[in-house]
Each structure stands twice: as C-alpha cells, then as structure tokens.
Amino acid sequence: MRSSLSRRGFLAAGSGLATAAALPALSGCSTLASADSDPGTLLVHTQLGTTAPGSATYTAVVKAFHKENPGLRVKNLVNGDDLPQVYETSRLARKEPDVVMVNLYDKTLAWTDVGATVDVKGYLDDWRLRERVLPAALEEWTDSKGRLRAFPYFATNWPVAYNTALLERAGVDSVPTTGDQLIGAASKLRAKGVAPVTVGGNDWTGQKLLAQIIQTFLTPDEARKVYTTGDFSSKGAREGIDYFVQLRDAGVFADKAEGLTSDTMTTQYNTEAAAIQSAMSSALAKVPAGPAGHTEIGGWPLAPGASHGKPTILRSYTLIGFWISPNGVKKLPSVEKFLRFMYRPDVVSRFITESGRDMALVTDTVSKEFPLVAKAQQLGDRVGQVLLPDLYVPPTATQPLITATSTAFTRGTSAAAVRSALESAYRTA
C-alpha cells in the first residue's frame, strides 16, 4: 500500500500536535524516560482500559502475566480514539512506548513506512508464532512491500442485526434480503412508530455502511480501486450510490441519521427503538438478553443485478494488533515474553468467553455467553462479503470521508451530490 506520508511529512504533522494535551495522558515525560531506561518495565500503549470491550479481560491477563513473570512489569498507558495522535507525539520526542495496541486505520497505516514502528515479520517467525495467526489476518496486516506491520490480535465480524419481534409486530414475516423487501419493511415499521435501520450517519459506522452499500455493484478489485483512488465515476460505483440514495429517500434509515453516532445507534437498537442495525462484534456483544433473544443475524439486502450472490457483511482482522516501536526493539526479550503470553490459547480464549471478542488467531473457542457474536461467527457462506475500505483509503482522506458520509445520509441530497462529496474528500485531504 502506498503511504501518503513521508518521514518528513510525519515529522511535520507531528510537530503540530497538541503536546500539552498529549503528555498528561502519558503521565509526563519523566515517567516515559524512567520506563524507557528500566529494562524490567515494558511500556504498553493501549486502548484497552477505557470502555472498549475486552478492557476488563486485558487488565486481568496482565495481572496473570505479572504473577508468572515477577521480574517484568507491564506499565499500561491508556488512550481512546486519540491514541494514534498521542503515540506520534511521544515518538517525535523519542519517548514512545515499547508496544502499541491499536487497529490498522487512518494514521496508523503510515507508521511502519515512516519508521514510527518496525516490521515484525522476522519476530513472528523467530518466536514461532506464525502458526497461531489466521492466514487472512497476516495478509491484511502485511503491506505492499511485504512488511508485517504488527502482530494481529482482535478481528471483527460486521453483519446486520434484525429484531424479528419488531419486524413481526409490524407485519414483516421474514428478514429482508432484497432492497424492495427492505423498503417495504421500513414503511411498515414506521407505521408502528419504530425506526427501521439505525446508523451513525455522522461517524465511522455510517461511513462503513455507506461503503458497504456502494459496493453492491462492485467486485472486490473494483472496490479496491475506488477506495484507493477516490474515483467514484465507474458504472458500478454510480449504481451503488444510486441504490443508497433510493434506500435513504424511501425512509429506510432512522430519522436525521446524518446527525446520529455509533452510541446513538447502539442505544436505539438495544432499547428496541429501532429494528435493524449494521453492527460489528463489539456492538453485538452489548445487546441485552431481551432483544438478543429475538435477533437474527444476516447480511445487507441486495438490489437486482448485484455483484454478490448473497446479502453482504464486512469482516476485518485488523481491529487491534501489537505494534513494536523503535524503543521496543531495545527490549525484545521482554516484548517476546509478553507477546508469547498474549498469544497463548488460554489467554486468547479468555477474550472470547469473557468479552465476546473475535480474534485474528487460530482458536476453537466460541462466544457462548455472547450469542449474537457466536451467530455472526457461524454465518459462513450464508452471506457474501464486501471490502472493508480502511486499508485502502489514504489516511488524509479518512476524516473528510466522515463529513461526506453525513452529507450522504441527509435526505434529499442527490446521487450526484453524494458522489461529489465523496470525491472531494480525497481532493481536499
């Protein structure tokens, strides 16, 4: 994959970051310096420790690691969505953590290319961990130059959840599998005062669903070209945008979807104010027992002439990986101990059973306590799969695409205007 940032560009971008805001999250430069100089401390920068699913399990397994390795302490530095920015600031000061736990998306796409993190392919083989990783995960984490950006860990299924009780109450006998069926179901749901499809049209959840619908008439290769170049002029891309606009203006999406967020989406579905949501595994794990008991998991309905034979879902193996920093290379024995421990089958199983996480690793464990996650894991070839655009969208276009997504979900916006907004996100990035 071509990086949009050179080393000089990375430094220039990082120099403009808000250092004052970043350093408190890292407990100050003195803490970083002391951890960096202490061979008995491994500094791990992670998103697990916030409200992210798996945080409690991660805390527990780190305690277990300490018990088994009394001479080695893991010090966790916790950030949420701002982790990439905070990490880049610390890297500019050469005070970066040793290991980073974050997904492959937006800013992080350029890290290995600009030397902010290192190629870990050799370590994966030297530590005999390759057989623990699903081949599809290795493929997604490997860049066009053959470098493995990080050790894969979390994955996700991203199907569509259908509240069958709400559908039946509205007179819909089965889960929609075509666009016409979805439009008909939406009309009946609205007549009962229920929102049809809830979606965060003002954030990443809406951006992913929009991309999924646009791919209705695109092959994977065509979709890869569209999201790499930002050129939505092909016949398939234009037909996909037309299909999205048809669904939107027919009332398929919740009212004012252009202003909703992932949190709003989750709340509407979990409280049964909405009947349908496109939900990744972490959201499925949060559905309460009541609605979960009458939720069917499937794919997004197709239009006539679609490039896919079955309703589609998204899958990704790049949700969280273990990146090694240049500072981490100085502590490779400690990093090896930590990663070997985290890759152990019993530790991996804990994230599945306790937190409902999907993993990018080989495992037979199923999320029994999270029935919707398990249903998504077992979909198999009953659904088709479209491309997750994250690996192909240039980092500088990521946030502009969110803005374009909100425009797209605004009812009355023409297909031509939607296409223009999407293409402008690439030109103005």
Side-chain angles (χ1 to χ4, degrees):
M1 182 199 71
R2 179 186 58 81
S3 171
S4 63
L5 294 177
S6 64
R7 183 179 299 272
R8 179 178 297 176
F10 174 83
L11 294 175
S15 65
L17 298 178
T19 305
L23 291 180
L26 296 174
S27 302
C29 289
S30 59
T31 301
L32 288 171
S34 61
D36 178 58
S37 61
D38 180 5
T41 298
L42 191 67
L43 202 59
V44 178
H45 200 173
T46 179
Q47 290 177 313
L48 297 182
T50 58
T51 58
S55 294
T57 300
Y58 176 68
T59 299
V61 300
V62 168
K63 288 182 179 179
F65 177 80
H66 287 158
K67 187 174 181 180
E68 293 186 19
N69 299 273
L72 178 58
R73 177 181 175 231
V74 172
K75 178 177 176 58
N76 289 300
L77 308 175
V78 180
N79 282 99
D81 291 341
D82 60 338
L83 185 150
Q85 177 174 310
V86 174
Y87 175 77
E88 290 181 5
T89 301
S90 65
R91 172 59 193 154
L92 288 167
R94 300 298 187 265
K95 300 295 183 182
E96 79 276 3
D98 305 309
V99 175
V100 190
M101 295 174 64
V102 71
N103 59 333
L104 183 59
Y105 174 63
D106 194 11
K107 287 176 176 290
T108 68
L109 288 166
W111 281 0
T112 304
D113 202 36
V114 300
T117 53
V118 302
D119 176 7
V120 304
K121 182 172 63 176
Y123 305 134
L124 183 79
D125 292 325
D126 291 346
W127 302 342
R128 298 180 181 178
L129 295 176
R130 179 175 291 271
E131 65 274 12
R132 297 282 299 121
V133 187
L134 294 171
L138 288 173
E139 182 179 352
E140 288 193 3
W141 281 94
T142 301
D143 69 14
S144 61
K145 297 179 181 178
R147 297 173 299 197
L148 184 63
R149 296 178 176 99
F151 285 79
Y153 206 61
F154 284 175
T156 188
N157 280 310
W158 205 321
V160 183
Y162 296 90
N163 187 316
T164 55
L166 292 178
L167 289 172
E168 290 170 5
R169 197 178 306 160
V172 181
D173 297 330
S174 60
V175 166
T177 58
T178 70
D180 287 342
Q181 291 174 0
L182 181 58
I183 290 171
S187 178
K188 292 179 179 180
L189 287 164
R190 285 184 174 278
K192 293 293 184 180
V194 177
V197 178
T198 180
V199 59
N202 196 33
D203 68 9
W204 52 275
T205 53
Q207 187 252 332
K208 300 301 185 295
L209 181 56
L210 174 60
Q212 182 175 357
I213 296 171
I214 289 175
Q215 290 182 65
T216 300
F217 301 96
L218 294 172
T219 66
D221 285 342
E222 290 170 340
R224 191 174 295 109
K225 181 179 180 181
V226 166
Y227 280 96
T228 300
T229 64
D231 181 359
F232 291 80
S233 66
S234 69
K235 181 176 181 291
R238 287 186 283 107
E239 288 178 339
I241 293 172
D242 287 342
Y243 180 44
F244 169 81
V245 169
Q246 177 191 2
L247 296 177
R248 184 203 64 200
D249 288 349
V252 162
F253 305 112
D255 291 342
K256 299 181 180 178
E258 69 274 12
L260 303 183
T261 65
S262 58
D263 289 339
T264 313
M265 179 189 78
T266 301
T267 299
Q268 286 188 343
Y269 190 84
N270 290 356
T271 60
E272 301 192 270
I276 304 168
Q277 69 168 343
S278 169
M280 64 193 304
S281 303
S282 56
L284 294 176
K286 294 179 180 179
V287 177
H294 43 255
T295 289
E296 185 172 330
I297 301 299
W300 186 261
L302 297 177
S307 297
H308 309 273
K310 301 172 184 178
T312 63
I313 70 168
L314 294 161
R315 287 192 180 102
S316 174
Y317 298 95
T318 58
L319 204 58
I320 276 187
F322 295 96
W323 308 64
I324 300 178
S325 75
N327 275 340
V329 174
K330 304 172 187 176
K331 299 181 182 179
L332 282 181
S334 297
V335 174
E336 179 181 358
K337 283 184 180 179
F338 180 63
L339 291 184
R340 281 184 175 276
F341 177 85
M342 295 300 293
Y343 263 44
R344 269 180 14 192
D346 60 313
V347 174
V348 171
S349 293
R350 289 191 65 174
F351 282 100
I352 298 170
T353 59
E354 297 174 13
S355 303
R357 300 300 323 217
D358 281 310
M359 307 301 291
L361 306 181
V362 175
T363 178
D364 294 325
T365 305
V366 178
S367 302
K368 294 180 180 179
E369 298 301 316
F370 301 88
L372 300 187
V373 177
K375 286 182 179 180
Q377 292 168 341
Q378 296 162 357
L379 279 172
D381 60 5
R382 286 182 289 147
V383 293
Q385 182 176 337
V386 297
L387 193 75
L388 184 74
D390 293 4
L391 300 181
Y392 308 101
V393 174
T396 52
T398 299
Q399 289 308 312
L401 274 177
I402 300 296
T403 302
T405 297
S406 181
T407 298
F409 274 97
T410 302
R411 290 186 70 171
T413 305
S414 69
V418 171
R419 176 187 160 193
S420 177
L422 293 170
E423 292 182 339
S424 293
Y426 284 75
R427 291 196 300 267
T428 61

